[in-house]
Amino acid sequence: MEFVERYNGCGLLVSVKKKIAEAYGIQKVEIFETESFGKMLVIDGKVQVTEFDEPFYHEMLVHVPMNSCKNAKSVLIIGGGDGGALREVLKHDVEKVVLVEIDNNVIELCKKFLKIDAGAFDDSRVKVVIEDGRKFIEHCETFDVIIVDGTDPVGVSDPLFGRDFFEICNKKCGVFCSQSQSPLIQRQLFRKMIVNSTVIRNRTVFTSVVPTYPMAYWSFIIGGDFSFRYVRRNYRKIKGKTKHYNPEVHFSAFALPNWLKEEIRDAELRGN
Ligand code: SAM
């Protein structure tokens, strides 16, 4: 059996042994056993997580912002129902983590069949809220770090890429980080993210390789009061190992190629 994800004239093909779980609610949630990438979470036909390369993504999404602040104690994760980002946040000396996930099916299936959370959902510091992150941000307290781990900016995730959402987040955290799609094959989505996120102070882009995401080159935005001065010290304090992330990867992630710098500059100039 083959799973195919198509995007803008190209795609990803994954040989699959079998489907091990599925649920249909506000999204179509499926979990597969693959030939080469371990278990794979698919939401509305798009690859979200594979056991093979999820650390490439979750470690960059979490440790770049967490190591960019002096001493983060309170963290908000919006999305992230697979538990990978939560697992990485708990490797830091945090006191409170709130995870706001719109679709409880994702959490239930991932806890039961994917298991990349490694027990993170049951940690006493964690509070899980089943709500739309766009609504939650309106009434929540402030956090040291806000991490947005949403699906593609279509459907239920769309409000997590809006200017109004970023304006509120900018006021509610010290450091903000979100995945921001593929600048290569999802140019319009990426440019929309760049334009809308100009309201976040010091908003900057970094990148990483994520082999099973569209064309394997992924972007993230970070903003707020982030600094490079704590990276090495905080890296040494991480509890447990990281498969992908280290300080050299952190620093080099901010070195952008000319075409990407131009894309960002052009989007900011044109406003679209
Ligand atoms: N790593 C993936 C990526 O970059 O595409 C994302 C993984 S994670 C499974 C995405 C999660 O965001 C899903 O569980 C989805 O239900 C959740 N989500 C989407 N829109 C949301 C919203 N408005 N509020 C809260 N969670 C949301």
Side-chain angles (χ1 to χ4, degrees), residues 26-27 41 43 47-49 57-58 61 78-82 100-103 106-107 110 131-134 149-152 154-160 179 181 213 218:
I26 52 171
Q27 300 170 117
L41 169 66
I43 295 181
V47 174
Q48 301 297 311
V49 167
Y57 169 80
H58 289 120
L61 179 69
I78 294 179
D82 51 72
V100 180
E101 168 56 61
I102 199 168
D103 187 346
V106 178
I107 295 177
C110 289
E131 184 178 352
D132 178 345
R134 177 61 191 81
D149 180 15
T151 38
D152 282 29
V154 290
V156 288
S157 248
D158 187 50
L160 306 181
Q179 70 90 7
Q181 303 299 122
Y213 282 1
W218 212 245

Side-chain angles (χ1 to χ4, degrees), residues 21 74 82 120 135 185 207 237:
S74 61
D82 51 72
K135 294 194 176 73
I185 195 71
T207 64
K237 288 163 56 182

Side-chain angles (χ1 to χ4, degrees), residues 11 51 55 77-78 99-100 111 124 132 135 141-142 153 167 183 211 216 219 224 230 236 244 247-248 259 270:
E51 286 182 292
I77 299 173
I78 294 179
L99 182 137
V100 180
K111 275 174 78 171
S124 59
D132 178 345
K135 294 194 176 73
E141 70 271 40
T142 58
E167 276 171 341
S219 72
Y230 311 113
R236 285 193 295 272
H244 183 81
E248 292 70 34
W259 63 267
R270 292 171 189 264

Side-chain angles (χ1 to χ4, degrees), residues 127-150:
K127 179 182 175 195
V128 174
V129 175
I130 303 303
E131 184 178 352
D132 178 345
R134 177 61 191 81
K135 294 194 176 73
F136 181 86
I137 202 72
E138 296 272 1
H139 57 73
C140 71
E141 70 271 40
T142 58
F143 291 87
D144 294 327
V145 176
I146 293 180
I147 292 168
V148 181
D149 180 15

